[in-house]
């Protein structure tokens, strides 16, 4: 892989991921909504692309994606407004999948969360419910596409340092926590590991090296 699109390029995980991608030899286009963030994003090594995925249609997104080798969705509405949560975390995400197919970009990585899916168990009166529903819809849609997809499902995110070690588990396992730095490292490892295609990988911080954990989870 050479050219990667990171959607949500100003997010905390994305800003840790981009230097890993560029160090691995990839050219990164970081999609951001706010032009004021362009200088900060460029400092991570990415080419900033100001484009509001909440408002762009699939055809326009496909034009931005053309010529790239992979899409990494690391965007989110940030909670607080249910309508915008559905608009970004569900609708825009699904449009980006259609755009990836239209542009011929086969590889697609979705950053989701531990326990996401139709059986998320979040009650409707919980403020987290719109996000859980939006991610369930987006993840389910992705799994039904012809894309070479992987869904990353980290547990509670922290700002701790990278450890390079995780533990993977099924959705029924107990979520813990994991640093954003390790999420970035897992994302890079998954991008380089074709055996992760078609898999949802739930993970916490742990004691197993990332590459080994991915192999163990596959088995």
């Amino acid at each position: 892989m050479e050219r990667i699109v990171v959607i949500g390029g100003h997010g905390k995980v994305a800003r840790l991921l981009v230097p890993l991608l560029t160090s691995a030899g990839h050219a990164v286009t970081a999609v951001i909504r706010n032009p004021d963030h362009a200088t900060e994003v460029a400092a991570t090594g990415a080419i900033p692309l100001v484009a509001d995925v909440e408002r762009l249609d699939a055809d326009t997104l496909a034009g931005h994606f053309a010529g790239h080798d992979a899409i990494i969705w690391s965007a989110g509405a940030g909670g607080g407004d249910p309508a915008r949560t559905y608009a970004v975390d569900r609708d825009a995400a699904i449009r980006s999948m259609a755009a990836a197919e239209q542009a011929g970009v086969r590889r697609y990585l979705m950053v989701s969360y531990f326990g996401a899916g139709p059986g998320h168990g979040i009650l409707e009166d919980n403020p987290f419910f719109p996000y859980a529903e939006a991610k369930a819809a987006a993840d389910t849609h992705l799994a039904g596409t012809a894309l070479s997809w992987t869904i990353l499902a980290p547990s509670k995110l922290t700002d701790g340092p990278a450890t390079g070690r995780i533990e993977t588990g099924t959705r029924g396992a107990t979520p813990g926590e994991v640093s954003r730095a390790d999420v970035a490292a897992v994302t890079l490892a998954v991008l380089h590991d074709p055996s992760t295609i078609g898999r949802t990988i739930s993970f916490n911080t742990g004691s197993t090296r990332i590459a080994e954990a991915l192999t163990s989870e596959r088995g």
Side-chain angles (χ1 to χ4, degrees):
M1 301 218 180
E2 296 180 353
R3 299 188 65 199
I4 314 298
V5 175
V6 177
I7 303 173
H10 188 253
K12 291 182 179 181
V13 170
R15 280 180 284 155
L16 295 169
L17 171 61
V18 169
L20 300 182
L21 291 170
T22 56
S23 294
H26 301 303
V28 181
T29 299
V31 178
I32 57 175
R33 184 172 62 92
N34 188 341
D36 293 341
H37 295 155
T39 299
E40 185 178 0
V41 167
T44 68
I47 299 169
L49 171 63
V50 179
D52 188 350
V53 295
E54 182 181 355
R55 303 186 185 282
L56 297 184
D57 60 24
D59 288 345
T60 304
L61 286 171
H64 291 312
F65 295 168
H68 290 83
D69 300 292
I71 310 294
I72 300 173
W73 179 276
S74 188
D81 180 350
R84 186 161 185 267
T85 295
Y86 286 116
V88 175
D89 294 283
R90 181 190 63 194
D91 301 340
I94 289 173
R95 282 198 303 275
S96 77
M97 298 165 201
E101 292 185 297
Q102 184 176 330
V105 184
R106 297 280 300 170
R107 193 71 170 106
Y108 191 109
L109 275 59
M110 167 65 74
V111 179
S112 188
Y113 73 94
F114 199 117
H120 55 71
I122 306 299
L123 299 178
E124 290 190 37
D125 60 355
N126 189 316
F128 192 72
F129 180 80
Y131 180 73
E133 284 286 283
K135 293 301 282 185
D139 292 358
T140 299
H141 185 89
L142 178 59
T145 69
L147 296 169
S148 298
W149 58 270
T150 305
I151 296 170
L152 302 173
S155 53
K156 180 181 178 181
L157 301 178
T158 73
D159 289 322
T163 67
R165 296 173 182 271
I166 60 170
E167 296 295 342
T168 59
T170 64
R171 276 192 56 206
T174 302
E177 61 181 29
V178 65
S179 72
R180 290 179 174 86
D182 279 333
V183 174
V186 170
T187 304
L188 177 68
V190 165
L191 185 67
H192 290 167
D193 184 352
S195 75
T196 63
I197 291 172
R199 293 165 52 196
T200 296
I201 300 170
S202 303
F203 61 98
N204 298 309
T205 192
S207 59
T208 306
R209 293 185 184 276
I210 289 170
E212 296 171 8
L214 294 176
T215 301
S216 173
E217 199 272 347
R218 183 181 70 231

